[in-house]
């Protein structure tokens, strides 16, 4: 079992009561260990009584760490003073379960090494009360070039009980090395990657037998970059159910931190009892990054990577990647050259699919109250010419509708129409590009917003993409693909003017449900999906 350690920084003696209160809250949230970071406290004139109280009243077994600035901590004093403090704690009636000392400190002088060794083999302590030593390596810039040598030095030191290595990940691939290190360990080991790329190493530590993962009780009080909260770890990422067999999924994009997909799919896996976990997987925009990273995830031994949702800017990259690897494309990905779903078979076979297009078509049909084949009678205006517009145009042409594309940059709309012209070979009048200022004259049965206008945090959160003079009534349907907020300015305006409306949540849930079914072979639990979207 991988333990969750709540890392709590204590800067001064007058913070001890509040810190103990935080530790009790962290314990209630699911922490198995408390790491007391006494970097600040240790700089006070007489820190021992306060540090002893932290250890004595700690609601869980604890690690005491006093990290110097040279390894990313806050302690600026003498090494000998902080090591003496650790030694005194270890010799007290209530010693900490672990002390953490940096390998560099341990190797700095024979005197320091002797003090540390004495702390963890104190003759006055019965064996089961003795403090154990964690020897650690940190690099806040990159993977240390001599990482393997340092791990070997720690492994072969008999005073050390636990190896800890943590470095700043520069890509998702750093996590894969942390898993290899864990798989090859000869002692209990903590191997973690820091920063926005490192979440995977923290969440998947149980898959590879990591000894501890660190989390915070408060997102505002991290002791290392990229630490998740205990609540995220346990609820969103299902930490306690992760084992060597757990399958791994995620959302690939740039950026992806704000994606709601992890909430949705993890809640879905829980609801049907699927042994899977779904993570944000940030990959920089260039195809070379996508190819190298996704290839490494698929090939990583023991990872069990089984699929991903793929979003901006990688939807076209996914099609190219699956083609290059000789995988299968569904008909829609083939036709429109963009896909949002990667499926990895247990033997490594690849497939990709586009679930955006069928989700848009299904949402529209339900909102209009018609069967799919009646789209042949409908004229639909698409606003935007990016990735979502491509899926909307592709899906609607496939279903037989007439489509006009309106985009701020008309040339981009022309390019999209050219790319998809093959879908209407026999009837080219079914696809046209409109001048952006002519949208009011088109007599459309439906309008679909495929721009970020109205999106919270987007370029125009308070605006609607539809001009005031567009005629709206109860025979016209207005669909937004923006889903945050649910009731966008467009939806509110269209509703107030009597039109039928479809929110972006409908499309979002449908495209996700189709992905879920492709990965698990089971229908998506829609109630769990909906509940996860509002939490
Ligand atoms: P994209 O590829 O970046 O395309 C954005 C489009 O919006 C472009 O046509 C762009 O026009 C236009 N645009 C951007 N800002 C504009 C502005 N201020 N005024 C007028 N036009 C503007 O993005 P995408 O992947 O298609 O995504 C579009 C939206 O779909 C997202 O913002 C998101 O809210 C929504 N979405 C919904 C779902 C869902 O499941 N419901 C899934 C994915 C995305 P130019 O060509 O002139 O730049």
């Amino acid at each position: 079992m991988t333990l969750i350690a709540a890392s709590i920084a204590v800067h001064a003696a007058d913070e001890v009561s509040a810190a103990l209160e935080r530790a009790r809250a962290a314990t209630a949230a699911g922490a198995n260990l408390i790491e007391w970071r006494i970097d600040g406290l240790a700089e006070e004139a007489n820190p021992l009584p306060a540090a002893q109280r932290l250890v004595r009243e700690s609601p869980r077994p604890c690690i005491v760490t006093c990290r110097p600035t040279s390894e990313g901590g806050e302690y600026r004093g003498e090494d000998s003073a902080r090591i003496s403090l650790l030694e005194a704690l270890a010799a007290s009636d209530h010693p900490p379960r672990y002390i953490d000392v940096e390998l560099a400190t341990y190797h700095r002088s024979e005197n320091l090494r002797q003090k540390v060794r004495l702390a963890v083999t104190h003759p006055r302590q019965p064996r089961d009360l003795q403090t154990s030593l964690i020897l650690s390596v940190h690099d806040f810039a990159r993977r240390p070039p001599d990482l393997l040598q340092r791990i070997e030095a720690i492994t072969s030191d008999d005073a050390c009980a636990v190896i800890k290595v943590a470095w700043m990940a520069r890509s998702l691939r750093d996590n894969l090395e942390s898993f290899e290190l864990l798989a090859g360990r000869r002692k209990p080991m903590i191997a973690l990657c820091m920063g926005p790329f490192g979440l995977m190493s923290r969440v998947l530590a149980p898959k590879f037998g990591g000894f501890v993962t660190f989390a915070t009780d408060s997102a505002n009080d991290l002791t290392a970059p990229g630490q998740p909260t205990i609540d995220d770890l346990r609820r969103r990422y299902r930490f306690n159910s992760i084992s060597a067999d757990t399958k791994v999924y995620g959302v690939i994009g740039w950026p992806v931190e704000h994606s709601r997909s992890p909430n949705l799919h993890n809640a879905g896996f829980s609801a049907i009892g699927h042994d899977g976990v779904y993570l944000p997987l940030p990959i920089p925009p260039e195809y070379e990054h996508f190819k190298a990273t996704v290839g490494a995830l698929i090939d990583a031994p023991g990872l069990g990577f089984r699929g991903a949702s793929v979003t901006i800017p990688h939807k076209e990259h996914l099609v190219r990647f699956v083609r290059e690897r000789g995988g299968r494309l569904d008909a829609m990905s083939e036709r429109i050259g963009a896909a949002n779903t990667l499926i990895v078979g247990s033997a490594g076979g690849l497939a990709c699919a586009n679930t955006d297009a069928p989700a848009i078509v299904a949402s529209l049909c339900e909102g209009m109250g018609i069967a799919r084949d009646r789209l042949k009678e409908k004229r639909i205006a698409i606003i935007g010419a990016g990735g979502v517009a491509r899926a909307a145009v592709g899906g609607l042409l496939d279903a037989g509708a007439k489509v006009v594309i309106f985009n701020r940059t008309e040339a981009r709309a022309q390019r999209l129409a050219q790319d998809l012209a093959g879908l209407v070979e026999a009837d080219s009048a079914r696809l046209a590009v409109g001048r952006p200022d002519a949208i009011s004259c088109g007599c459309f049965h439906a309008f679909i917003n495929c721009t970020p206008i109205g999106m919270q945090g987007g370029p125009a959160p308070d605006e609607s993409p539809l001009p005031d003079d567009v005629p709206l009534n109860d025979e016209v349907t207005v669909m937004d693909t923006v889903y945050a907020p649910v009731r966008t300015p467009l939806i509110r305006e269209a509703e107030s003017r009597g039109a039928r409306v479809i929110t972006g949540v409908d499309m979002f849930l449908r495209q996700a449900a189709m992905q879920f079914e492709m990965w698990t072979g089971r229908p998506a639990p829609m109630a769990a999906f909906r509940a996860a979207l509002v939490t």
Side-chain angles (χ1 to χ4, degrees):
M1 171 186 159
T2 302
L3 304 173
I4 298 178
S7 194
I8 300 176
V10 188
H11 305 94
D14 62 7
E15 290 180 10
V16 167
S17 296
L20 285 165
E21 193 51 48
R22 279 181 63 188
R24 285 189 281 272
T27 301
N32 316 104
L33 272 177
I34 305 296
E35 183 193 41
W36 295 117
R37 284 288 302 265
I38 59 167
D39 318 7
L41 173 64
E43 291 187 340
E44 291 199 335
N46 179 19
L48 185 61
Q52 280 176 322
R53 184 179 161 212
L54 283 173
V55 176
R56 194 174 56 244
E57 296 183 25
S58 183
R60 284 277 187 253
C62 68
I63 307 171
V64 177
T65 303
C66 179
R67 191 80 71 221
T69 48
S70 58
E71 295 231 9
E74 293 176 7
Y75 180 80
R76 291 172 304 255
E78 293 293 324
D79 277 341
S80 58
R82 72 186 170 102
I83 298 300
S84 295
L85 176 60
L86 296 178
E87 200 189 352
L89 283 172
S92 65
D93 290 344
H94 293 274
R97 183 69 193 84
Y98 301 95
I99 54 171
D100 175 328
V101 175
E102 312 74 41
L103 180 67
T105 307
Y106 189 68
H107 280 178
R108 195 160 296 139
S109 78
E110 185 53 33
N111 185 29
L112 286 174
R113 192 157 46 249
Q114 286 311 327
K115 274 172 173 277
V116 172
R117 284 177 160 260
L118 187 63
V120 295
T121 52
H122 204 282
R124 278 193 292 132
Q125 299 290 8
R127 206 169 159 66
D128 60 345
L129 263 189
Q130 266 178 15
T131 298
S132 298
L133 175 63
I134 301 174
L135 273 182
S136 60
V137 171
H138 304 88
D139 194 318
F140 284 78
R142 67 184 72 76
R143 173 203 184 277
D146 57 351
L147 182 63
L148 299 184
Q149 291 92 309
R150 294 204 220 176
I151 290 174
E152 189 48 46
I154 300 177
T155 304
S156 54
D157 192 306
D158 56 10
C160 166
V162 179
I163 308 164
K164 179 185 175 195
V165 291
W167 72 92
M168 184 63 75
R170 292 176 150 199
S171 93
L172 287 178
R173 280 177 284 162
D174 283 81
N175 297 287
L176 304 181
E177 182 170 6
S178 77
F179 300 148
E180 274 176 38
L181 295 174
L182 287 175
R185 71 190 181 279
R186 306 202 308 277
K187 259 185 189 173
M189 186 176 200
I190 302 164
L192 296 172
C193 291
M194 295 184 279
F197 288 111
L199 179 68
M200 191 181 216
S201 69
R202 297 176 182 277
V203 174
L204 297 186
K207 240 184 117 63
F208 298 90
F211 180 59
V212 161
T213 202
F214 290 88
T216 174
D217 59 315
S218 151
N220 300 326
D221 220 339
L222 303 185
T223 54
Q227 261 177 15
T229 63
I230 299 169
D231 207 51
D232 274 356
L233 209 52
R234 295 190 68 229
R235 287 179 204 273
R236 182 182 298 162
Y237 298 118
R238 319 182 64 223
F239 187 79
N240 290 351
S241 67
I242 294 176
S243 71
D245 297 330
T246 302
K247 300 169 190 70
V248 176
Y249 307 83
V251 52
I252 294 172
W254 187 265
V256 281
E257 305 85 72
H258 301 299
S259 171
R260 310 299 296 272
S261 297
N263 294 24
L264 215 68
H265 286 291
N266 285 320
F269 293 159
S270 276
I272 68 160
H274 179 69
D275 187 7
V277 59
Y278 185 105
L279 296 159
L281 301 173
I283 300 183
E286 298 75 20
Y287 179 64
E288 291 317 311
H289 284 293
F290 181 88
K291 180 179 172 174
T293 309
V294 179
L297 291 172
I298 292 168
D299 299 337
L303 182 62
F305 182 60
R306 288 285 172 274
S309 312
V310 176
T311 183
I312 303 174
H314 291 303
K315 291 186 182 183
E316 296 179 15
H317 293 161
L318 175 59
V319 166
R320 181 173 164 193
F321 177 78
V322 171
R323 279 202 179 113
E324 284 176 7
R325 283 233 176 180
R328 280 182 298 112
L329 279 72
D330 78 340
M332 189 53 69
S333 315
E334 189 81 64
R335 274 181 213 140
I336 69 177
N340 69 334
T341 313
L342 170 66
I343 305 118
V344 184
S346 52
L350 299 188
C352 69
N354 189 309
T355 68
D356 287 334
I360 292 169
V361 170
S363 296
L364 188 64
C365 288
E366 188 176 290
M368 294 176 87
I370 59 171
R372 186 176 188 273
D373 62 358
R374 288 208 37 220
L375 279 173
K376 291 191 178 74
E377 305 155 20
K378 307 296 178 191
R379 263 172 75 79
I380 319 286
I382 302 294
I383 309 168
V388 169
R390 179 174 288 264
V393 174
L396 290 167
L397 291 179
D398 199 50
K402 295 181 185 61
V403 174
V404 182
I405 309 168
F406 297 90
N407 192 44
R408 175 178 65 179
T409 311
E410 216 177 312
R412 190 168 175 196
Q414 295 288 1
R415 273 201 305 281
L416 177 57
Q418 268 163 22
D419 287 353
L420 300 188
L423 298 178
V424 288
E425 265 168 14
D427 185 3
S428 59
R430 281 211 292 128
L431 176 59
V433 170
R435 277 206 346 266
D437 57 358
I439 193 165
S440 322
C441 327
C443 291
F444 293 104
H445 299 100
F447 297 86
I448 306 182
N449 174 37
C450 299
T451 76
I453 297 175
M455 186 174 81
Q456 180 187 312
D462 301 322
E463 290 175 26
S464 159
L466 218 50
D468 292 344
D469 58 349
V470 169
L472 294 181
N473 55 52
D474 62 0
E475 299 200 341
V476 177
T477 302
V478 173
M479 173 170 168
D480 210 335
T481 62
V482 173
Y483 62 87
V486 179
R487 292 178 54 73
T488 57
L490 171 65
I491 292 292
R492 282 189 269 121
E493 177 199 324
E495 213 165 41
S496 73
R497 289 169 58 196
R500 293 163 173 255
V501 296
I502 307 162
T503 72
V505 168
D506 201 69
M507 170 195 168
F508 184 67
L509 290 173
R510 284 177 199 266
Q511 59 80 29
M514 288 183 233
Q515 298 182 321
F516 188 93
E517 200 165 331
M518 288 175 193
W519 295 325
T520 64
R522 309 256 306 268
M526 296 310 289
F529 268 25
R530 281 196 193 91
L533 254 199
V534 293
T535 53

